[in-house]
Amino acid sequence: MAATKYVFVTGGVSSSLGKGIIAASLAKLLQARGYKTTIQKLDPYINVDPGTLNPYEHGECYVTDDGAETDLDLGHYERFLNVKTSQANNVTTGRIYQSVIEKERRGEFLGKTVQVIPHITNEIKERIQLLGKTGDYDIVITEIGGTVGDIESLPYIESVRQLLWELGDNNAIVVHLTLVPFLSAAGELKTKPTQHSVKTLMESGIQADILVCRTEHELSDEIKEKLALFCNVKREAVIQSIDASTIYDVPVMMHEEGLDTVALKKLALPDDTPPDLTQWNEFLDRHKHPKSEVTVGLIGKYVELQDSYKSILESFIHAGAINEVKVYVRSIHSEHITHANFEQKMKGLDGILVAPGFGERGIEGKIKAVRYARENEIPFLGICLGMQMAVIEFGRNVLGLKGANSTEMDENTPHPVISLMEEQKHITNKGGTMRLGAWACDLKEGSLVHKVYHGAIHISERHRHRYEFNNAYKEQFEKAGLIASGINSDTQLVEIIELPDHPWFIGVQYHPEYRSTVANPHPLFVGFVKAVQLHKKQQTNASLA
């Protein structure tokens, strides 16, 4: 079998240019040409993983099947490629140093002085090649987080330089993503920031093979020629990446610009099979030409930052396209929902999703939103903390359990309807104490969720939480009409709750949004959007009657 080829994606000038989307788009095009492709992200921060980071700090924390808490870019990789990622797809500086220090303590370096070169760089190179050495992939795309010139990125850039040299010609290339800003005062695009960025990369011993230029305005041939000349790349390797109306347009735009053709040429791989983007284009067509529209309220406490709920927002795009409906998501900060204004805030919503989260801030607002959805028969989906809020709301307002709560919010609650699993009660270290990754769940036959999952009995979904439904209250809840329709058979933990006498009311302990992709929209989101559509139609008909 031919050796795996490597593509490194670096960024310059500014952060947030969309390296993840470019990496995912190139991977999608290579995959659509028949190449087995995967992507990994190298993050330069010293946290061991993003699990303990505030969502305001780094956006959402994405979780893989094997329980790795990773960067949100891995969500893009999975959504674009429909291929599962794992711990090996996300590496942080924290993890690299932790591993090297553990080896040093075990005496593996035979008393040598441990240094950034070669010890840290060797560890990075080993991690980069982990996926390539499995033999499962023709091409591994590695996205280097941060911006060239950052002090944190230097060991990664040096590792890439060494690998380019070790792997030899045509086996590894560098795609450098930069910004070509438009100066409105001068009325022109400026190439100087890109020239400086490429120069900084060259100072580290790396020559970019392909330049992807983020821009708000079309790049003229003259500008492309100038960039090619001054940045020492071939003219066809200067790729324009203009702002797109949706991230899902980017693979198509990159193909039109020839990114995949140039990459294959530089890797000495055949490019005679054009990419098959039939399914992708069908999805785009449905997404862009919806037949109706609905408004869903996203009740959360990190709503100011879009990336905090990235996977949920993308899941609505996938489910909306398949239902041929445009889903407008109205973000509502749960901290701002009060007894006086909650009806006003819920006005005009066709469906309500109560989002995941940690800690007690804003939970009373979430509980009010759940009650509104339950009493007004509005389709409801509660995810993780959202499901727990539905349990607390039902406990307080239907069962009359005064002060019912989660022990996460109130350790002394008289009715801990949500509480810690026994084995977690004595753990003090926040990282790694959660139920993480894929867990099995058995669905109750005849339940709504059983129908939503197309009659499946056994499912597997990804978790990221510490607190659980307290089974001591299960019988009481079920008698009053809130049933546990999904259970983990090994632990007997409740995974799914629903209200059979409500048009569509489901709470799940796991995160369905992590599993939704363009090719496979998640059934829970598809079912929820369908129910929201139906609810809106019924409301419209009732008001016309």
Side-chain angles (χ1 to χ4, degrees), residues 222-450:
E222 191 189 349
I223 285 183
K224 286 186 175 181
E225 295 281 356
K226 185 179 175 183
L227 283 166
L229 175 65
F230 287 4
C231 298
N232 206 22
V233 296
K234 292 250 166 62
R235 165 64 185 77
E236 71 265 25
V238 178
I239 306 287
Q240 165 184 292
S241 173
I242 201 159
D243 288 358
S245 59
T246 159
I247 57 170
Y248 299 106
D249 279 327
V250 180
V252 180
M253 289 160 68
M254 289 301 100
H255 177 56
E256 285 166 0
E257 281 284 310
L259 175 61
D260 48 330
T261 309
V262 179
L264 289 170
K265 194 169 158 187
K266 288 190 175 291
L267 292 168
L269 289 169
D271 75 332
D272 40 13
T273 313
D276 178 6
L277 293 169
T278 318
Q279 192 188 11
W280 191 268
N281 286 325
E282 280 170 9
F283 155 76
L284 264 179
D285 189 53
R286 283 196 307 269
H287 172 51
K288 289 185 171 181
H289 305 104
K291 292 179 178 166
S292 60
E293 54 186 52
V294 294
T295 303
V296 171
L298 172 67
I299 321 292
K301 54 180 175 180
Y302 310 112
V303 295
E304 301 94 331
L305 185 71
Q306 287 276 307
D307 278 358
S308 304
Y309 301 114
K310 193 70 187 159
S311 294
I312 291 176
L313 298 176
E314 299 306 318
S315 300
F316 275 130
I317 289 174
H318 310 153
I322 210 162
N323 282 301
E324 296 185 283
V325 57
K326 166 80 179 156
V327 182
Y328 287 101
V329 178
R330 193 198 297 167
S331 297
I332 301 170
H333 201 303
S334 57
E335 243 189 325
H336 302 158
I337 299 173
T338 63
H339 190 66
N341 72 9
F342 81 94
E343 291 212 357
Q344 188 57 37
K345 290 217 179 267
M346 302 293 134
K347 213 174 173 178
L349 297 181
D350 306 309
I352 290 173
L353 182 145
V354 175
F358 289 93
E360 63 184 313
R361 192 169 63 85
I363 69 150
E364 293 303 325
K366 288 187 173 185
I367 291 169
K368 285 185 175 65
V370 175
R371 182 173 191 170
Y372 186 83
R374 180 177 61 79
E375 292 182 344
N376 293 283
E377 303 206 326
I378 294 169
F380 168 84
L381 177 59
I383 297 179
C384 200
L385 185 70
M387 172 266 207
Q388 298 177 358
M389 295 301 106
V391 169
I392 293 168
E393 189 280 324
F394 195 88
R396 286 182 190 177
N397 300 321
V398 177
L399 295 176
L401 303 173
K402 202 168 158 40
N405 215 330
S406 161
T407 52
E408 180 184 6
M409 323 303 170
D410 177 6
E411 281 182 19
N412 304 313
T413 170
H415 295 290
V417 290
I418 303 288
S419 79
L420 271 184
M421 292 190 290
E422 207 50 51
E423 61 269 28
Q424 292 194 329
K425 286 186 178 168
H426 309 297
I427 294 175
T428 52
N429 186 350
K430 284 272 188 260
T433 62
M434 292 192 277
R435 192 145 73 100
L436 281 167
W439 285 64
C441 172
D442 296 343
L443 304 181
K444 192 170 185 168
E445 286 201 53
S447 63
L448 172 58
V449 83
H450 179 233

Side-chain angles (χ1 to χ4, degrees), residues 85-99:
T85 55
S86 70
Q87 183 73 68
N89 295 74
N90 192 198
V91 179
T92 65
T93 297
R95 206 171 279 282
I96 296 286
Y97 274 84
Q98 191 180 43
S99 173

Side-chain angles (χ1 to χ4, degrees), residues 99-119:
S99 173
V100 169
I101 289 165
E102 282 168 1
K103 285 178 182 174
E104 184 270 332
R105 293 288 84 187
R106 289 197 298 269
E108 284 184 33
F109 300 125
L110 307 173
K112 284 227 180 326
T113 306
V114 179
Q115 295 175 292
V116 172
I117 301 172
H119 302 98

Side-chain angles (χ1 to χ4, degrees), residues 13 49 64 109 158 177-178 185 194 250 260 300 321 329 351 378 395 423 427 438 472 530 537:
V13 185
D49 59 45
T64 58
F109 300 125
E158 169 59 19
L177 178 66
T178 79
T194 294
V250 180
D260 48 330
V329 178
I378 294 169
E423 61 269 28
I427 294 175
K530 198 175 274 179
K537 202 171 167 184

